[in-house]
Amino acid sequence: MRETLRDRSRARGLSRIRPPGGLRTSATVVVLATAVLLPLVPLLVWSVAGTWRYPDVVPGRVTRRGLDLVLDGEVVSATATSLLIALTVAALACAIGLSAGRAIGLHRFRGRRLVQFLLLAPVIVPGLAVTLGIQVFFVRYGLADTVLGVVLVQLMPTVPYAATLLGAAYANLDVDYERQARTLGSGPLRTFLTVTVPLLRPALVTTALLTFLISWSEYILTLLIGGGQVTTLPLLLFAAIGSSDRTAAAALGLLVVLPPVVIVVLVAGRLRGRDDAWMGLARG
Amino acid sequence: MAEPTLAARLDVSGLGARFDAVTAVADLDLTLASGSFTALLGPSGCGKSTTLAMVAGLLAPTTGDVRLDGASLLGVPAERRPVSLVFQKPLLFPHLTVEQNVAYGLRVRRPAGGGSGRASRQEVATQVEEMLERVRLGGLGRRRVGELSGGQEQRVALARALVLRPRLLLLDEPFSQLDADLRAEMRALVRELHDEAELTTLFVTHDQDEAVELADTIVLMLEGRLAGEGSPETFYTAPPSLAAARFFGATNEVRGLVVAGLFRGQGLLEGALTVPTTAPDGAGVLVVRPEAVGLDGEVPALVCATRFAGSDVLVDTELLDGQSVRVRVPLGTRVAVGDRLSLALVPDRCTVFTQEAE
Amino acid sequence: MSHPVVSTGPTTRQHAVRRGVPERLRALLLLSPALLVVGVFFVGGVVQAVLQSLGRQPFLGENDWSFDAYRATLADPAFRASLILTLRVVVVSTGLATVLGVAVALLVRRHARGPLTTLLQSTLAVPHLVGALCIGLLLSPSGFLSRLGAGVGAVDGQQDFPVLTNDAFGWGIIAEYTWKEAPFIAVVALASLTPHVRDLEGAARVLGAGRWRRFTSVTLPLIAPPVAAASVLVASFAAASYEVPRLLGQSFPATLPVVALQRYQDTDLLVRPQAMAVATIIAVSSLVLVAAYLSLVSRLSRRSL
């Protein structure tokens, strides 16, 4: 077998002999990008479609109605509710996750396996199955149909998730920084606030954003516990999809999808190789 | 300039630390005089860092007491002890600038030795800048931690610890991660700072050269216990124990018997080797450093090998009964394999210990 | 230059023993809020579902244990059809997502890793609800693809376009899951195609292994564990979703989560135990998947890659 210079250099990992990329790669990328982005195209187009008769490929008339809908009172209110719930859930999940994460990342204790299981199961087991079970209790304690109830039930998938992510962050933390701070005269609380938290900041930000995202996208838990009284954006969207108004549905869909995409683009760099972080997104 | 520090006297008595089944430190008694510079020397894993942690308050001792100027520190949390600790890693807080790092402790506690309440912002800034000057990093206050070299980082760590004017300064092998020439520079700096500020310093190291060069007193720890205490010279000329002697490189051990104040060679060595000693009667071992063996004595030995060792020559010899003695002789001495020498083992340059049961 | 040094972890460190609280107790205290949340909501929910499925409905005065709900459910042909549908949808979409995800990862690993990863990650961010909408707008008889087809003459009107949404097989559902989860598999696969893997492939090449042989004997085995773990996750997420089958599937037969809610919302409260039975079946199968995932992942970390 005659080995060409190219084979040899490629074997050595020096693909510089060939221009990085090249026509075949660009073509592949374009094809893949098209396939991946294709389903989003109709969403964009329909959101501005005024009249769009079949079988036209392009809408006959373009309308602002969809965009106006976003500013409609009901939508604004639902957006505000979604934001309120998501921010609260993110804050609570991070606080509780920080505490649990410290135990997971820094302490030795028996029953590690069990804790691992308990922190993974709520993220994976369908929320619907579990919520059907506890709905009665939400009703009994007056939490059904309330924002507080929705916030609490959304803690179920987010807290374990945050605990896992922050546990990994704590495991990567060098405890000696805290010891050093103590020898400099800083008590436990001050050390935590001025040394530990700043060191954990990247992971905290990522966790907050991801839990926000999970809450923002949540539908079934809000439906079951909110009872239709707590109206978040996903609920409005679901209703719109059921109606025959595609323009409205598409416009709302864009509104719902915007924060997640923006957040992920911001956060993507920090999540290199951390499969469990992506898990939260793949879920919902 | 700086107010005089109340350099403390440290008394450690019966200090011990146990983790589950492992005893890291046992029955340690130690006294550091006010203003002294002591090296806590020992191989890795001998309990030196654990001892420091207990003195600093990061670890609660299982037994024993730690007293600073007579007052017990047990139960006093680390953040309230007037003790500063510099670790092996610089541990500079990466989210703060150099200035903010050095000022960290100042913003919490009052400087030891007086001062009214929390220092004002201006006072803090002045003290920080002064301290940075002293460690020769003047003007670098605004730098971020990531921009510093290893040596600079350690100097900032030193500044951060010293600016609090501690009554006791603890250093846990702070230079082991630096290059050789940098280490030498830093050693000089630490000694200088100690002398200037009149601190009591306890310096942990596994490097005996470092200990010998820097300290007034060396405390040797082996396997969690005290194995000797004294000036660097004492460890060379009159090591306190066989283990200490071995640690310090006294590689020659000759076995014999001590009878009535005399160490005598046995068997074939009978009569050929006698050294007066204060060791108790019984089986004994004579320990002597290679450079302390003279060539103008009366102990017959046969040269087996010679080796060039830079500034001198190492000569391996064999005594009448087969025991070996290594001698260090200056370059140029005429010695060849097969020569017969008469070694000199002088009493004040060797030490006799009781043989341990093997 | 200065970064927080990676600590060797709790097993090899000795911690500052603070006065008072021993380590194990402190760990428990720190864990308690999280464990409380999980305990009350998750464990409580599952237990409640199980109890109610076994007939315990105190407010209806039903207090006996019975397996009636399970018997009725399992005997119900509608449930069996739902089960088959759910399995079909889950298996097909997981399979497709895995194959496509790995294929994409292999295609772009060398040159286009960066830009495409960002692209894949952003579609990963799309919630299932919006995904269902997108697929519906794309694949429905009056959807975008149909119009494109009509435009090029391949399709002769809405009736001529194949029924891909709200269909009996579940193609619409499968399409959404595949579209959303293949990027997840691709991201995981890309992350596992490390330079180390490339080195090993190079070594195999030098030993004479051809391209296909290298793929099957070196590449695949090396990326199989993380990809397998991710596949297990994809399967669970596919099985768990409510929005997607509700919007893109038929109301009968529907997937298990939809069936559970249907039964739950039935005006006849005596049907509720059946809803709980379905919920329990879902939960238990899912827990099995969690265990499978954890065992796969722990085997991963024991291997030195």
Side-chain angles (χ1 to χ4, degrees), chain A residues 36 54 99 135 268 281-282 284, chain C residues 30 121 128 146 179-181 264:
Chain A
V36 164
Y54 188 91
S99 168
Q135 216 231 3
L281 297 172
Chain C
L30 288 171
Q121 287 163 349
H128 272 309
S146 170
W179 177 66
K180 159 115 187 175
E181 306 289 4
Y264 189 80

Side-chain angles (χ1 to χ4, degrees), chain A residues 3-17, chain C residues 110 195 198-199 201-203 205-206:
Chain A
E3 236 194 341
T4 63
L5 186 63
R6 192 194 283 180
D7 285 324
R8 245 188 286 142
S9 65
R10 209 185 305 159
R12 259 184 267 137
L14 297 169
S15 50
R16 296 287 177 270
I17 278 264
Chain C
R110 233 179 286 273
R198 196 152 29 116
D199 290 342
E201 289 171 337
R205 188 173 189 178
V206 165

Side-chain angles (χ1 to χ4, degrees), chain C:
Chain C
M1 198 216 141
S2 171
H3 301 285
V5 173
V6 172
S7 141
T8 45
T11 46
T12 49
R13 288 229 90 123
Q14 258 142 18
H15 291 287
V17 175
R18 294 213 187 126
R19 310 139 286 293
V21 189
E23 188 180 10
R24 296 236 166 85
L25 185 57
R26 183 176 307 145
L28 199 60
L29 277 174
L30 288 171
L31 280 173
S32 54
L35 288 179
L36 188 68
V37 167
V38 172
V40 168
F41 296 120
F42 180 73
V43 176
V46 173
V47 165
Q48 272 300 307
V50 171
L51 285 179
Q52 289 184 50
S53 72
L54 292 174
R56 309 250 331 146
Q57 294 192 85
F59 13 90
L60 286 187
E62 304 266 335
N63 268 322
D64 340 291
W65 302 93
S66 84
F67 281 96
D68 281 350
Y70 286 97
R71 255 176 260 140
T73 305
L74 292 170
D76 187 355
F79 174 79
R80 284 204 289 256
S82 296
L83 189 58
I84 295 175
L85 171 71
T86 311
L87 281 173
R88 181 167 67 227
V89 161
V90 167
V91 169
V92 174
S93 34
T94 307
L96 275 178
T98 307
V99 168
L100 285 175
V102 171
V104 167
L106 291 172
L107 270 175
V108 301
R109 67 198 276 207
R110 233 179 286 273
H111 299 296
R113 207 181 252 252
L116 215 73
T117 308
T118 321
L119 181 68
L120 292 172
Q121 287 163 349
S122 20
T123 55
L124 197 52
V126 176
H128 272 309
L129 187 55
V130 178
L133 173 61
C134 290
I135 295 291
L137 291 177
L138 184 70
L139 296 179
S140 68
S142 62
F144 196 63
L145 263 191
S146 170
R147 292 161 194 251
L148 283 178
V152 299
V155 166
D156 196 19
Q158 292 190 35
Q159 301 85 327
D160 199 30
F161 190 75
V163 178
L164 294 173
T165 53
N166 305 106
D167 62 307
F169 189 85
W171 283 118
I173 308 175
I174 292 172
E176 203 278 343
Y177 288 155
T178 309
W179 177 66
K180 159 115 187 175
E181 306 289 4
F184 176 55
I185 305 271
V187 165
V188 170
L190 268 178
S192 67
L193 286 168
T194 56
H196 180 69
V197 172
R198 196 152 29 116
D199 290 342
L200 289 173
E201 289 171 337
R205 188 173 189 178
V206 165
L207 289 168
R211 189 180 266 185
W212 179 251
R213 181 105 194 285
R214 288 202 301 275
F215 176 69
T216 51
S217 63
V218 177
T219 319
L220 264 189
L222 282 174
I223 63 171
V227 169
S231 298
V232 169
L233 285 181
V234 167
S236 353
F237 299 149
S241 174
Y242 171 82
E243 304 94 295
V244 178
R246 178 73 172 68
L247 292 172
L248 292 174
Q250 298 176 329
S251 49
F252 172 83
T255 62
L256 288 183
V258 179
V259 167
L261 192 60
Q262 277 172 347
R263 303 268 164 100
Y264 189 80
Q265 287 170 336
D266 197 315
T267 43
D268 181 3
L269 276 179
L270 290 173
V271 169
R272 186 150 299 183
Q274 290 187 32
M276 296 306 177
V278 177
T280 308
I281 294 173
I282 297 174
V284 169
S285 338
S286 186
L287 285 171
V288 169
L289 284 177
V290 174
Y293 174 76
L294 276 178
S295 79
L296 274 173
V297 165
S298 72
R299 212 177 303 155
L300 234 187
S301 58
R302 248 177 273 145
R303 251 203 224 190
S304 56
L305 205 70

Side-chain angles (χ1 to χ4, degrees), chain B:
Chain B
M1 221 192 62
E3 299 165 17
T5 333
L6 300 171
R9 175 199 165 86
L10 177 71
D11 288 287
V12 169
S13 47
L15 199 65
R18 266 182 66 104
F19 306 106
D20 298 329
V22 176
T23 305
V25 176
D27 214 22
L28 189 66
D29 291 321
L30 192 58
T31 298
L32 300 186
S34 160
S36 63
F37 193 115
T38 309
L40 187 55
L41 175 66
S44 317
C46 72
K48 333 185 279 292
S49 298
T50 313
T51 307
L52 272 197
M54 286 190 280
V55 174
L58 292 173
L59 195 62
T62 324
T63 59
D65 195 7
V66 177
R67 294 173 171 275
L68 211 60
D69 283 335
S72 173
L73 286 181
L74 286 191
V76 179
E79 49 269 26
R80 276 200 282 245
R81 297 192 187 192
V83 174
S84 273
L85 174 52
V86 178
F87 289 78
Q88 236 170 339
K89 303 166 281 193
L91 290 177
L92 300 182
F93 304 130
H95 53 285
L96 302 176
T97 61
V98 165
E99 247 168 16
Q100 290 167 332
N101 262 284
V102 176
Y104 186 84
L106 281 179
R107 299 234 166 87
V108 189
R109 43 151 139 160
R110 54 192 76 185
S116 50
R118 245 176 244 170
S120 76
R121 188 164 276 188
Q122 188 51 48
E123 286 169 9
V124 168
T126 321
Q127 287 178 37
V128 166
E129 188 51 43
E130 256 173 32
M131 204 66 233
L132 284 176
E133 293 277 349
R134 286 231 224 137
V135 296
R136 293 180 219 132
L137 287 179
L140 291 184
R142 287 288 158 81
R143 292 275 181 89
R144 300 221 75 103
V145 170
E147 300 165 31
L148 301 175
S149 71
Q152 288 174 323
E153 281 186 16
Q154 269 301 12
R155 276 187 266 168
V156 175
L158 268 177
R160 182 174 62 178
L162 286 173
V163 80
L164 299 173
R165 291 199 232 119
R167 285 157 64 191
L168 173 65
L169 176 66
L170 305 173
L171 299 151
D172 191 350
E173 302 198 53
F175 312 135
S176 56
Q177 313 217 323
L178 303 175
D179 304 327
D181 39 337
L182 207 49
R183 233 182 292 155
E185 209 183 293
M186 296 295 285
R187 272 187 241 160
L189 178 63
V190 166
R191 186 74 221 211
E192 198 185 296
L193 290 169
H194 164 92
D195 294 333
E196 256 177 38
E198 291 168 5
L199 303 163
T200 308
T201 305
L202 181 60
F203 183 98
V204 160
T205 179
H206 64 268
D207 182 341
Q208 70 190 72
D209 293 329
E210 202 166 65
V212 164
E213 186 188 311
L214 279 180
D216 305 324
T217 315
I218 297 183
V219 172
L220 180 67
M221 266 185 90
L222 295 171
E223 285 169 17
R225 290 173 184 276
L226 193 59
E229 194 178 334
S231 72
E233 282 162 0
T234 328
F235 276 90
Y236 274 83
T237 55
S241 69
L242 183 54
R246 283 181 182 149
F247 186 84
F248 267 81
T251 47
N252 292 318
E253 296 175 25
V254 179
R255 292 176 198 288
L257 189 67
V258 179
V259 176
L262 270 185
F263 173 87
R264 294 171 173 282
Q266 295 300 293
L268 294 169
L269 265 185
E270 184 102 47
L273 172 60
T274 43
V275 177
T277 176
T278 51
D281 289 2
V285 59
L286 178 101
V287 168
V288 62
R289 303 186 69 84
E291 55 267 25
V293 179
L295 295 180
D296 53 350
E298 290 170 357
V299 184
L302 177 69
V303 177
C304 311
T306 69
R307 199 169 82 236
F308 171 70
S311 48
D312 35 37
V313 177
L314 288 172
V315 181
D316 286 327
T317 69
E318 204 178 271
L319 298 179
L320 291 176
D321 66 345
Q323 296 193 70
S324 45
V325 172
R326 173 173 283 194
V327 189
R328 216 182 256 272
V329 299
L331 265 184
T333 317
R334 288 187 181 286
V335 175
V337 175
D339 284 358
R340 290 190 183 279
L341 303 173
S342 292
L343 301 179
L345 296 169
V346 179
D348 55 339
R349 301 199 79 194
C350 34
T351 325
V352 176
F353 298 103
T354 314
Q355 245 180 65
E356 295 141 22
E358 295 289 346

Side-chain angles (χ1 to χ4, degrees), chain A residues 17-179:
Chain A
I17 278 264
R18 183 153 57 133
L23 192 58
R24 201 178 76 177
T25 316
S26 316
T28 319
V29 172
V30 169
V31 167
L32 280 174
T34 317
V36 164
L37 292 173
L38 186 61
L40 292 171
V41 171
L43 182 74
L44 280 164
V45 180
W46 243 293
S47 62
V48 294
T51 16
W52 196 0
R53 256 181 273 278
Y54 188 91
D56 300 337
V57 176
V58 182
R61 224 179 319 163
V62 167
T63 178
R64 275 192 45 181
R65 183 166 63 88
L67 299 173
D68 285 344
L69 182 64
V70 168
L71 300 171
D72 173 73
E74 198 187 7
V75 173
V76 169
S77 160
T79 311
T81 312
S82 283
L83 262 179
L84 172 67
I85 294 177
L87 285 172
T88 314
V89 168
L92 284 174
C94 280
I96 301 177
L98 204 58
S99 168
R102 191 184 178 95
I104 297 168
L106 289 184
H107 291 260
R108 295 167 297 181
F109 54 90
R110 246 175 313 165
R112 215 161 235 282
R113 275 279 182 80
L114 179 64
V115 170
Q116 250 189 324
F117 185 83
L118 283 177
L119 289 183
L120 195 58
V123 180
I124 297 180
V125 171
L128 182 142
V130 179
T131 315
L132 285 185
I134 32 166
Q135 216 231 3
V136 249
F137 283 103
F138 274 83
V139 173
R140 179 172 317 165
Y141 289 109
L143 289 169
D145 299 0
T146 64
V147 168
L148 178 60
V150 172
V151 166
L152 286 178
V153 79
Q154 286 190 0
L155 287 182
M156 183 182 62
T158 49
V159 162
Y161 186 60
T164 311
L165 290 180
L166 291 172
Y170 260 107
N172 273 328
L173 179 71
D174 192 349
V175 202
D176 280 340
Y177 280 100
E178 291 184 343
R179 301 172 88 210

